[in-house]
């Protein structure tokens, strides 16, 4: 029986060593971020997890990838100190700034990273920017995490910027103010966070419309339109249902292969030709603005497509769920 | 000492079992395709390896992914029975067919899969299509592998089609024939196969020019231009150096995020407006043709860019190597 015992001890020892290595990997190594980084969202290069933590609505991971820092929210890359982030922010900010009659008072909903705030600060005429984020931890990162502050050029600490930790919809509903440009840059509703639909609904857009100055515009982020154009079409339909005039625009980021969609909306009719950049930007030159304002066929072929998102239905959530199933 | 022996036996047993499982995985499981499928080129879904084999120039893997079959060459997806393959073939074939004065005699270099041949067969006026591929095994697959034959609609066995197993350049150099449309659809030169540069060189383009009927056109595949526009610019410069008139075109596949580039070249000046589709196709409608013929800024911003590929230099290989390093 001794032989069997020692044989078992030997086998067990190997298992225990292997299990320990695995546990170390899960708890402190790259494996530890499995629950913070979804499959297919991992960097291709080597990466190092700087920090992971829970906020009231999100699981956040800060990940160092080469020279960059990527911020993951609930497993998806939310943003990073990356070149394509600059492109994204330039497009979502400078297009409405170019279309608005005035650019004195700016509201940015979902501005926790501070990158779009940085872009809005490029206009001397800007008097005040309000950046609203539901997530205190996210806003703190944008204000205090050195590598993010270097990237957003300290935008969230600028004297023209007022930061608010509040649900964007409640903030607008309770506010008596009006703005020249309102930027809504929040992620798509998912099963993890279906309530985000409330920031895309007809009821909310009616509210936003009431808070626009005459000649003011909205700029709404519409996710990755190359994969789900219906998402953008539905947001546009909802804005139109609300009596707003719209111009969809987009930015194909050739290095990532992602085409980001946005919609410009206003109480007054908008003409593409009237959109002239008011500041010089590194990425969004006149040449690129032409591409941004011109929809490719797959995105433009939208007659009678899209459905109206209300507080009562799940139009956008259904589109997102369908797309996630198709992937 | 007995204890130590049995302990060792136990430990060894675990190692041997694990090693056997690993070896099984490497030799017969999905792991067996490691050398046939590069990192980052694996299907996201479950897949099953149907077959792997070596040809004179390539390591081929046939992989079943859902309903589709993907063909890997030297680790990279070469093509598959996929929707985006149809898009690709429609664009590389129907644009030159629309631009050419006649479409009677067609030469396709790299036509082993038979998909572009299938598209060229849609024209009644076509008298003969020559499909040249250096790889006998590849051509055999396209002629006999049932799932590929179903996809290419038996194009390579069609009575109007003549297949040649030969290096495309040698074939053209030795030929006394001339064509209305010549399609060069071969992969980019890499360190594994640098000699592919000979099918993109000034010397080869001079040869092709001699084999064009009056009013005939060339259609040249230019790889993924969203990642390396310089590749297309250099091919265009080489064609121009050869005295040809050029129109670059492209197709952004919104589901894959890849923008494929192509160049149309002719001995006569070409106008984009003269390019009118002669057949009806499922993907390439008039609406999409507009996108195909219009270059986005990142691709169009090409003044004084690109270098001439000759038989003596490594212009395209250097661009590909640089891009692979950047990834």
């Amino acid at each position: 029986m001794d032989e069997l015992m020692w044989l078992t001890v030997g086998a067990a020892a190997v298992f225990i060593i292997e299990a320990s290595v695995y546990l170390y990997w899960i708890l402190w190594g790259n494996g530890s971020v499995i629950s913070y980084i979804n499959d297919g969202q991992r960097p291709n290069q080597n990466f190092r997890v700087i920090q992971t933590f829970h906020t009231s609505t999100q699981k956040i991971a800060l990940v160092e990838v080469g020279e960059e820092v990527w911020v993951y929210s609930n497993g998806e890359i939310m943003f990073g100190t990356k070149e394509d982030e600059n492109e994204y922010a330039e497009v979502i900010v400078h297009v409405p700034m170019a279309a608005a009659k005035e650019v004195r008072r700016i509201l940015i909903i979902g501005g926790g990273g501070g990158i779009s705030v940085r872009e809005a600060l490029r206009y001397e005429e800007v008097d005040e920017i309000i950046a609203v984020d539901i997530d205190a931890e996210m806003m703190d990162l944008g204000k205090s995490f050195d590598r993010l502050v270097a990237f957003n050029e300290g935008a969230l600490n600028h004297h023209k910027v007022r930061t608010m930790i509040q649900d964007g919809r409640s903030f607008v509903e309770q506010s008596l103010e009006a703005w020249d440009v309102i930027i809504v840059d929040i992620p798509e509703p998912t099963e993890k966070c279906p309530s985000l639909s409330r920031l895309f609904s007809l009821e909310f857009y009616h509210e936003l419309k009431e808070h626009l100055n005459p000649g003011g515009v909205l700029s709404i982020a519409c996710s990755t339109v190359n994969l789900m154009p219906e998402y953008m079409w539905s947001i546009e339909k909802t804005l139109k249902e609300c009596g707003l005039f719209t111009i969809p625009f987009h930015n194909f980021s050739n290095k990532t292969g992602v085409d980001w969609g946005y919609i410009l909306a206003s109480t007054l009719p908008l003409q593409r030709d009237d959109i002239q950049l008011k500041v010089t930007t590194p990425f969004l030159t006149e040449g690129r603005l032409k591409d941004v304002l011109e929809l490719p066929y797959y995105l433009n072929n939208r007659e009678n497509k899209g459905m109206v998102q209300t507080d009562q239905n799940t139009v956008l959530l259904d589109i997102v769920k369908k797309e996630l199933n198709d992937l």
Side-chain angles (χ1 to χ4, degrees), chain A residues 7-17:
Chain A
L7 194 135
T8 311
V9 168
V14 170
F15 276 123
I16 288 165
I17 291 164

Side-chain angles (χ1 to χ4, degrees), chain A residues 48-116:
Chain A
R48 186 176 73 83
V49 178
I50 302 173
Q51 205 185 334
T52 57
F53 55 94
H54 278 74
T55 75
S56 52
T57 59
Q58 299 170 80
K59 284 161 65 177
I60 303 280
L62 304 180
V63 178
E64 183 174 67
V65 186
E67 304 278 292
E68 302 170 349
V69 177
W70 297 7
V71 180
Y72 285 79
S73 162
N74 295 332
E76 305 281 316
I77 297 174
M78 184 160 51
F79 64 88
T81 61
K82 305 190 288 182
E83 190 48 40
D84 57 320
E85 200 63 53
N86 289 330
E87 287 188 21
Y88 181 90
E90 287 190 21
V91 173
I92 199 172
V93 171
H94 298 305
V95 171
M97 296 297 263
K101 192 164 155 257
E102 302 272 349
V103 295
R104 295 184 177 283
R105 299 181 39 73
I106 317 296
L107 171 62
I108 301 180
I109 297 175
I115 305 166
S116 47

Side-chain angles (χ1 to χ4, degrees), chain A residues 129-251:
Chain A
I129 301 169
I130 297 185
V132 184
D133 204 298
I134 198 167
D135 222 316
E137 289 89 344
M138 198 60 245
M139 191 72 90
D140 283 346
L141 276 181
K143 283 183 178 180
S144 323
F145 178 45
D146 53 352
R147 297 181 62 169
L148 200 43
V149 173
F151 194 70
N152 69 29
E153 298 173 10
L156 294 175
N157 305 311
H158 192 279
H159 69 91
K160 288 185 180 179
V161 177
R162 197 148 57 97
T163 59
M164 307 288 301
I165 305 302
Q166 196 174 347
D167 163 58
R169 179 154 171 177
S170 315
F171 172 79
V172 174
E173 284 171 350
Q174 290 161 22
S175 170
L176 300 173
E177 302 182 72
W179 290 275
D180 301 311
V181 173
I182 301 177
I183 294 167
V184 186
D185 185 13
I186 56 167
E188 49 275 29
T190 57
E191 289 198 86
K192 279 185 190 161
C193 199
S195 65
L196 281 166
S197 295
R198 293 177 65 259
L199 288 145
F200 292 96
S201 72
L202 183 62
E203 293 83 350
F204 182 51
Y205 291 155
H206 272 297
E207 198 68 47
L208 287 180
K209 191 177 165 189
E210 297 304 307
H211 288 83
L212 276 180
N213 280 331
V217 298
L218 304 177
S219 179
I220 315 280
C222 294
S223 192
T224 51
V225 285
N226 52 318
L227 296 177
M228 41 179 199
E230 302 81 4
Y231 188 86
M232 179 194 244
W233 295 333
S234 293
I235 292 177
E236 187 181 24
K237 194 154 195 162
T238 310
L239 289 161
K240 282 185 167 167
E241 181 77 13
C242 181
L244 292 162
F245 297 90
T246 57
I247 295 186
F249 59 108
H250 76 119
N251 183 44

